[in-house]
Each structure stands twice: as structure tokens, then as C-alpha cells.
Amino acid sequence: MAAGLGAESNNNTDPQNQKTLADFDPQKKPKRNLYASGAAILASMTSILLGYDIGVMSGAALYIKDDFKVSDTKIEILIGILNIYSLIGSLAAGRTSDWIGRRYTIVLAGAIFFAGALLMGFATNYAFLMGGRFVAGVGVGYALMIAPVYTAELSPASTRGFLTSFPEVFINGGILLGYVSNYGFSKLPLHLGWRMMLGIGAIPSVLLAVGVLAMPESPRWLVMQGRLADAKKVLDKTSDSKEESMLRLADIKEAAGIPEDCNDDVVQVPKINRGEGVWKELLVRPTPAVRHIIVAAVGIHFFQQASGIDAVVLYSPRIFEKAGIASSDKKLLATVAVGFVKTIFILVATFLLDKIGRRPLLLSSVAGMIASLATLAISLTVIDQSHKKMIWAIGLAISTVLSYVAFFSIGMGPITWVYSSEILPLKLRAQGASIGVMVNRVTSGVVSMTFLSLSNAITIGGSFFLYASIASVAWVFFYTCLPETQGKTLEEMGVLFGNFRWLRDSKREKRRNKANEINGDGASNVQLGPVSNGN
């Protein structure tokens, strides 16, 4: 016993085992990596292209209809068809980015959109304008797929949510610029105003092509090409520490099938990890983990658009008209308010993603969207059925449009791109992201090309009741199928997926741990009793 006490005493006096107060201080968070942030901002600027088109078409469509004397059906097709055309770009972007790299795929996206914007600006008839929409749509598809993938692959785990949300930030910024452009050019003659609105969208793509020269290539793409030395340089610059850089490199090498002890500057990568057989592994013979990941990625993209965001953003002037705003200037100013609210709340969301986590933010966001959509539907139905001006209903309708876009932007908007990019395994990431973007754009196209017809069929209030129902289904899906990914490395995602009963199992595990803690405390009390009595 004495020997034991002596040993304990020696251990306590050992300088190596002695602790100071500083050792108990909470661990300091690493400083935000400015180099990674700068590269993510430049890459995410591609999303301005889609955002600007969404925003500007909401107002330009009013003037195109008057100039070309076309029907509502042709207008909703013109607005929504860009989403269908973008499928070509998003499907091609996966293979293209594996071939020429993530960085030059971004340049290609900007160049294609530049050509499309000029074609739209110089359109002389409806068919010419549709041709411009086709070219611009392909560019948008490339941009939507590549920006979140590049940013996720470049970012350290500590700020990946913050940085990967940038594409959605720039979509919202682009929407706001489109709304402002509508208002600014609305004073020009009819034949010139909408052409200026669309044509000026070529400017961001030029700035993007210049800015990309300062961006590094994705370290994961470099490893896939066997360029380990180049990948290490990029990881050293974009990681929070040298240790993290080494861990990230080791994880990527393992995922690419490169031996851990291989440290040559350039190595031969196994062909299976260079893109071959990817589609088969994704769709034909997926593992349980990959199947769960694909369901989660496709589901979150589908519900993001099926809950009606493009109906609100693209047709907000018409919604405000239904709500009782007659003046064109006031309708366009109200849409500027929508863009402003969206932009403010997406900026708030970027700082919450890595603090609160994906799941809590997503679930609370969708709950707010459901409440806003239901209230908007009720107010628009009251306005539609009333024969006199209902000021309270008009105010409620305008307020709930703003609350809906706010709730969307603080969760559902950015998390869709963050979550779907970070959960895909390395060798499946480009093609898997393409599938997600494809579903996103198809759903967006269906919503935007059917909103006017749907409103005429079941009333505008009925349309928003439908979107509220879809958002309710989305909440249940997210609650049951999407585990938390905050703070996990991209290579750790496979451990989280593969079990669709993960929620039930995790709750069972928590109950078991709680029971063990209670039993442990009880055992401790039983042991203390006899000691007290003995004294």
C-alpha cells in the first residue's frame, strides 16, 4: 500500500505530469484561412450568373411580353426553360472537371454564359431569345455544379460550411442585382430596356475569367491526377495547420488508392479512381453507404426547389400584383426588398453553419418556410375571395413573402449546396454532384414553367398551399434521413451513412448511455453508504 502511495506521489511530482491553469483553458479556434476564403469567393462568383438571370427575368419578362406580344404560357416557358437547358451543362461538368480540372471548368462556365448573355441582349424575336437562353443555360449548369464541389474540396473542415455556402450567397447577390437592374432600366424605351437588363449580365462572367487566374487547383483533383507535390502545396496554404494538411493529404491518398508511404512528387493513380466505372458505382451497384448518400443528396436538391422558392422569386411582381400593388414601379421596388432580405439572411447563415450545425439550421428553416407558405396562401385566398380591399391581408401577404425568403435563405438555400457537396466520396464527387444539380434544375424548371398555369387552375392561394404541403414532407425527410455532418472531414462521411435507421439507433444509443450513467451514479452511492456507517 505504501509502495502504491509512493508511486502515486512520484507520479504527481513528475514535471511532465504537472498541469498549469493554462492547460484547462478551452482550446482556441483556428483563425479563418484567408487564402481558402479568397479562392472560395472567386469560385462562388460563378453563382452570380444564375442569380442574376433569376432576378432579372422576373422583371424583364413583363416587358418581353409587351414587346413580342406573346402569351403567358410562352413567358413561363421562356423563364423556366433555362433550368432545363442547364442540365446539359451540369451533366457535362462532372466529366469535364475530371478532365481539365475544377478551375478551368469555372472559366468555361463563365465563357459560355458570356456568349448566352450577349445573344439574349441582341435578340430580335422570341426564337432568337430562346437560343440565347439555351447557351446561357448550359453555362449556368456548369457553374452550379462546379462551384460547390471546388469549394468543398479546397476548404478545411473547420470552415467548410462557411465557405461552401458562398455559392448560395452569390446566387442571392445576383438575384438582388437582377432586381436592381430591372428597376434601373425600366425607365428606358420598351425595346431597349429589357435588352439592357439581359445583356449586362455578361459583365460578371468577364470578371470571373480574370479572377480565376489567382485561384489554386483543387487538391483532390491534383491527387487524382497523381500530382502529390502540387496537392501538398495547395493543402499547406488552405489548411488551418501543417498537421491538418498532412492528415487531409493522407485521407485523399487513401480515397484515391495511393499507398500512404508513397511520397513521390508525381505518381501513377489506379485507373479505377480516375473516373472509370463511376456511374456504375453510383447508380447500378451502389454500396449501402453510397445509396444513402445519393438518396440524401437527391432528396435535399429536390425539396429545395419543390417547396416553391423559384415561384416566389421569379414571379414576385405577379404575386405583389395579386396582393393589391398595381403600380409597376412599386412592384419592382417590392421585388428589390425580396432580394435584399434574401441577401441579408444568407449572409447570416454563412456564420451559423459551422456553429449551429447543418441539421438544426435546416429543420428550423423548413419549419419557418412551412408557416410562411401556409400564411401566404391564406392571405392570398382572402384577397382573391374578397370584393373589397383588405389592407391587413395585403400587409400579411407582403410580410410572409419576405419571411419565406428569409427562412429559406438562412437554412434550406445554403445547406443544400453545402450538404450535397460534402457527403459524396472523392471519386464519386463530380458525377454525384452532377446528379444533384440535375434534379435541382429539373425541379426548378417544372416549378417555374407551371406556376402561372397552376395558379390559374387551383388559384394562387391553392398553389402556395401545395408548396406548404411539399415543404412539410421535406421536413420529415430531412429529420429521418440526413445525419449531422458538421466538423467531419470529407473522407469521414462514409461512416455516417449506410444505415437508414440511424436516427432510431442513435436515440437508442443515447438512452443506453444515459442509463449507464444513472446506474454508475447509483453504484457509487451504494458504495459510499457502508463507508459512512463504518466510520
Side-chain angles (χ1 to χ4, degrees):
M1 184 74 175
L5 289 172
E8 186 178 343
S9 176
N10 289 338
N11 284 338
N12 289 337
T13 56
D14 187 350
Q16 291 183 343
N17 290 331
Q18 288 181 346
K19 293 188 176 183
T20 65
L21 286 174
D23 294 322
F24 296 95
D25 289 341
Q27 189 175 2
K28 291 183 179 179
K29 283 190 174 182
K31 290 184 179 179
R32 187 155 282 148
N33 190 301
L34 296 180
Y35 185 79
S37 298
I41 288 171
L42 288 172
S44 302
M45 280 180 64
T46 58
S47 301
I48 283 182
L49 308 180
L50 173 63
Y52 183 82
D53 185 86
I54 291 172
V56 81
M57 280 304 294
S58 69
L62 302 175
Y63 303 103
I64 292 169
K65 182 181 178 182
D66 291 340
D67 195 12
F68 288 159
K69 305 293 189 292
V70 293
S71 65
D72 273 350
T73 302
K74 284 191 172 181
I75 288 297
E76 65 181 359
I77 290 173
L78 180 70
I79 289 174
I81 199 69
L82 181 132
N83 295 303
I84 306 302
Y85 292 151
S86 70
L87 293 179
I88 300 170
S90 62
L91 287 173
R95 195 66 169 166
T96 304
S97 66
D98 281 347
W99 180 38
I100 65 174
R102 314 313 196 209
R103 187 170 65 152
Y104 288 111
T105 303
I106 294 173
V107 176
L108 181 61
I112 295 172
F113 188 86
F114 176 81
L118 290 183
L119 287 172
M120 289 190 292
F122 287 106
T124 54
N125 54 47
Y126 184 82
F128 195 152
L129 186 56
M130 285 291 280
R133 299 290 284 167
F134 171 78
V135 177
V138 174
V140 164
Y142 268 98
L144 270 180
M145 177 268 168
I146 197 60
V149 168
Y150 173 87
T151 309
E153 293 184 346
L154 194 75
S155 309
S158 63
T159 55
R160 191 176 59 247
F162 171 76
L163 297 179
T164 314
S165 64
F166 279 7
E168 185 69 16
V169 171
F170 281 99
I171 287 176
N172 283 271
I175 289 171
L176 179 57
L177 288 175
Y179 286 157
V180 172
S181 175
N182 286 338
Y183 185 74
F185 291 119
S186 64
K187 312 298 181 186
L188 295 177
L190 178 63
H191 71 282
L192 183 61
W194 68 264
R195 289 182 170 87
M196 289 296 294
M197 294 173 191
L198 297 178
I200 205 169
I203 293 176
S205 58
V206 175
L207 298 175
L208 177 67
V210 175
V212 80
L213 299 176
M215 290 164 48
E217 184 49 88
S218 159
R220 287 175 172 81
W221 182 83
L222 291 171
V223 171
M224 294 287 280
Q225 305 307 305
R227 295 163 56 182
L228 297 186
D230 292 338
K232 186 177 183 305
K233 288 177 185 176
V234 176
L235 286 169
D236 286 344
K237 289 182 178 180
T238 58
S239 299
D240 293 330
S241 65
K242 290 288 184 183
E243 292 77 12
E244 186 192 14
S245 172
M246 292 171 63
L247 286 172
R248 289 174 70 188
L249 181 59
D251 286 341
I252 299 169
K253 283 164 64 178
E254 181 183 356
I258 300 172
E260 187 179 352
D261 58 353
C262 181
N263 294 310
D264 296 339
D265 289 350
V266 180
V267 300
Q268 185 70 32
V269 179
K271 285 188 177 180
I272 185 104
N273 288 317
R274 298 187 66 158
E276 288 80 357
V278 167
W279 290 110
K280 186 181 292 185
E281 190 170 343
L282 272 173
L283 303 175
V284 181
R285 288 201 302 267
T287 63
V290 169
R291 188 182 298 113
H292 188 176
I293 286 170
I294 290 298
V295 168
V298 168
I300 196 170
H301 274 289
F302 170 77
F303 283 117
Q304 186 201 45
Q305 295 300 328
S307 55
I309 185 62
D310 276 1
V312 172
V313 174
L314 283 167
Y315 296 103
S316 51
R318 296 197 180 225
I319 295 170
F320 290 132
E321 184 179 343
K322 284 283 186 182
I325 300 177
S327 164
S328 294
D329 276 357
K330 289 180 179 178
K331 281 188 284 188
L332 293 177
L333 274 175
T335 60
V336 171
V338 171
F340 183 75
V341 169
K342 273 180 68 63
T343 304
I344 291 296
F345 277 88
I346 189 66
L347 289 172
V348 172
T350 60
F351 293 98
L352 297 179
L353 277 168
D354 288 315
K355 292 181 180 177
I356 296 178
R358 282 49 157 168
R359 263 179 69 84
L361 205 55
L362 180 62
L363 293 173
S364 56
S365 164
V366 176
M369 288 166 56
I370 294 167
S372 297
L373 284 168
T375 309
L376 176 60
I378 292 168
S379 59
L380 288 174
T381 301
V382 169
I383 293 168
D384 204 29
Q385 298 297 319
S386 177
H387 299 292
K388 59 181 181 179
K389 202 168 186 177
M390 309 286 287
I391 300 298
W392 68 268
I394 293 172
L396 186 61
I398 295 171
S399 300
T400 49
V401 167
L402 297 178
S403 68
Y404 171 72
V405 297
F407 278 116
F408 177 88
S409 296
I410 207 166
M412 176 78 105
I415 289 174
T416 296
W417 302 103
V418 173
Y419 199 91
S420 61
S421 297
E422 67 185 1
I423 63 177
L424 287 159
L426 171 61
K427 65 179 179 178
L428 309 179
R429 189 163 298 137
Q431 285 80 2
S434 294
I435 294 174
V437 172
M438 178 186 71
V439 172
N440 189 287
R441 292 299 88 201
V442 167
T443 311
S444 174
V446 170
V447 169
S448 54
M449 286 195 292
T450 59
F451 178 72
L452 295 180
S453 302
L454 185 66
S455 298
N456 291 332
I458 63 172
T459 73
I460 191 168
S463 300
F464 286 108
F465 275 124
L466 176 62
Y467 296 140
S469 301
I470 294 171
S472 301
V473 176
W475 193 94
V476 175
F477 174 81
F478 297 151
Y479 183 78
T480 56
C481 293
L482 273 60
E484 180 60 74
T485 59
Q486 180 189 16
K488 303 291 183 183
T489 67
L490 295 180
E491 282 64 41
E492 289 174 344
M493 294 299 171
V495 180
L496 294 175
F497 294 86
N499 177 15
F500 283 98
R501 296 189 298 249
W502 68 273
L503 185 62
R504 187 188 68 183
D505 293 346
S506 65
K507 285 183 176 179
R508 185 182 296 164
E509 183 67 25
K510 284 181 182 177
R511 286 196 297 267
R512 188 183 297 120
N513 291 338
K514 195 170 184 179
N516 289 339
E517 287 177 10
I518 293 171
N519 291 337
D521 291 343
S524 174
N525 291 335
V526 170
Q527 290 173 356
L528 287 173
V531 173
S532 178
N533 292 336
N535 286 339

